[in-house]
């Protein structure tokens, strides 16, 4: 039985406060089914039997994978949970680490770059979109939302555990990495004259760069000299949600590359 002062409980609380990098909190029955489908290391599993009467079988499967298993009280569960009606399953899992040198690209490759993304939900949806379009990875620059936020896991539908995510401290470093791998880079800019439907997206790996929800793309990306494309706004709105924009761009390029 683990109490509030147990080191693992304190570590779990630290993950919620973004002071335990490399770890992510996974909560809920469906979320744990995604966790079990991955090869992710489960450092600790916290189980409240009183709240998990319908998830006992799944709890047993998670417990068999976890390095450490702790029973917790309903009172402690209420303190740890982010839900109004928790189902008694919480895990502390390892976030995968990806390195820029691990990747090899060809003309079918797709990469999404997200600059300055502010909201965890949007970050998670971008990860899910990268997976759905069979893009090679998500690249982050000027990150504001933290990758181990529980909302990232939920919005990504667990794909944060399997989708490669790279982070560069500087825009110039990310741009240089794309150039070295021969990418044709398109900045997503609502003010650009060229439509996203015009490029052929063939012959070279393709990268799209999308900006933050509030401020758009950083001027540093524009200073890199890449071309820009836009998604025509046919109504009164002047732009789309960043994740929706990314989905339109990635699937357009994927259609060209795969000959749909």
């Amino acid at each position: 039985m683990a109490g509030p002062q147990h080191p693992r409980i304190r570590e779990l609380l630290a993950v919620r406060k973004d002071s335990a990098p490399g770890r992510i909190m996974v909560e809920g029955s469906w979320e744990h089914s995604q966790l079990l489908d991955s090869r992710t290391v489960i450092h600790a599993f916290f189980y409240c039997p009183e709240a998990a009467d319908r998830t006992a079988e799944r709890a047993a499967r998670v417990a068999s994978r976890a390095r450490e298993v702790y029973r917790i009280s309903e009172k402690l569960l209420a303190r740890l949970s982010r839900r109004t009606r928790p189902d008694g399953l919480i895990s502390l899992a390892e976030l995968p680490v990806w390195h820029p040198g691990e990747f090899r690209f060809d003309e079918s490759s797709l990469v999404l770059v997200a600059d300055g993304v502010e909201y965890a939900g949007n970050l998670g949806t971008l990860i899910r979109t990268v997976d759905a379009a069979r893009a090679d990875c998500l690249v982050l620059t000027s990150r504001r939302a933290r990758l181990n936020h529980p909302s990232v896991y939920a919005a990504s539908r667990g794909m944060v555990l399997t989708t490669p995510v790279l982070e560069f401290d500087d825009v110039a470093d990310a741009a240089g990495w794309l150039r070295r791998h021969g990418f044709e880079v398109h900045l997503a800019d609502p003010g650009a004259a060229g439509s996203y439907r015009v490029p052929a997206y063939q012959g070279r790996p393709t990268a799209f760069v999308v900006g933050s929800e509030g401020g758009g793309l950083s001027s540093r990306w524009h200073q890199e000299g890449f071309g820009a494309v836009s998604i025509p706004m046919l109504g009164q709105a002047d732009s789309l949600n960043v994740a929706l924009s990314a989905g339109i761009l990635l699937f357009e390029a994927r259609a060209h590359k795969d000959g749909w």
Side-chain angles (χ1 to χ4, degrees):
M1 191 83 170
Q5 300 306 313
H6 192 283
R8 282 300 197 190
I9 298 294
R10 295 170 69 179
E11 183 180 7
L12 187 63
L13 291 171
V15 168
R16 294 189 58 174
K17 297 177 182 178
D18 198 21
S19 57
R23 303 285 191 270
I24 192 165
M25 174 180 168
V26 178
E27 179 181 6
S29 179
W30 180 88
E31 287 78 2
H32 276 83
S33 69
Q34 297 301 105
L35 180 60
L36 289 168
D37 285 342
S38 73
R39 297 182 179 180
T40 304
V41 173
I42 305 173
H43 290 281
F45 174 50
F46 306 92
Y47 175 52
C48 178
E50 292 82 5
D53 56 332
R54 297 183 180 180
T55 55
E57 182 180 351
R58 185 157 297 159
R61 291 179 59 203
V62 179
S64 69
R65 275 267 306 273
R67 292 181 172 179
E68 301 172 13
V69 179
Y70 300 98
R71 180 173 176 172
I72 58 175
S73 67
E74 289 184 277
K75 182 177 180 180
L76 182 54
L77 173 65
R79 178 182 174 187
L80 298 174
S81 177
R82 302 178 69 250
R83 303 181 173 193
T84 55
R85 298 183 65 183
D87 59 11
L89 310 180
I90 298 178
S91 285
L92 185 64
E94 181 87 5
L95 270 179
V97 178
W98 310 90
H99 301 284
E102 297 175 345
F103 293 84
R104 299 293 181 269
F105 302 105
D106 57 32
E107 63 182 33
S108 70
S109 296
L110 268 176
V111 162
L112 177 66
V113 181
D115 180 62
V117 174
E118 301 171 89
Y119 305 119
N122 277 344
L123 177 54
T125 305
L126 288 170
I127 293 170
R128 182 180 178 184
T129 304
V130 165
D131 171 81
R134 208 176 69 253
D136 294 69
C137 65
L138 173 66
V139 172
L140 302 177
T141 59
S142 307
R143 175 183 59 83
R144 298 184 187 181
R146 57 186 174 94
L147 199 60
N148 67 342
H149 193 289
S151 293
V152 172
Y153 188 95
S156 76
R157 303 294 282 178
M159 297 302 103
V160 69
L161 300 179
T162 55
T163 301
V165 180
L166 298 176
E167 185 169 4
F168 288 89
D169 293 331
D170 189 78
V171 166
D173 292 338
W177 180 76
L178 292 169
R179 287 193 178 97
R180 287 193 299 276
H181 286 285
F183 274 87
E184 182 178 29
V185 181
H186 303 277
L187 307 182
D189 182 355
S195 167
Y196 77 103
R197 299 297 306 278
V198 173
Y201 303 118
Q202 292 178 340
R204 296 171 61 187
T206 301
F208 293 104
V209 187
V210 297
S212 68
E213 299 86 340
L217 268 180
S218 162
S219 61
R220 290 176 294 171
W221 273 107
H222 288 285
Q223 292 165 8
E224 290 294 330
F226 297 123
V229 294
S230 65
I231 299 171
M233 295 291 102
L234 307 180
Q236 297 184 36
D238 61 358
S239 64
L240 294 172
N241 171 274
V242 62
L244 179 56
S245 297
I248 292 172
L249 297 172
L250 288 174
F251 275 96
E252 178 73 14
R254 177 54 67 208
H256 283 265
K257 290 180 180 296
D258 290 2
W260 293 356

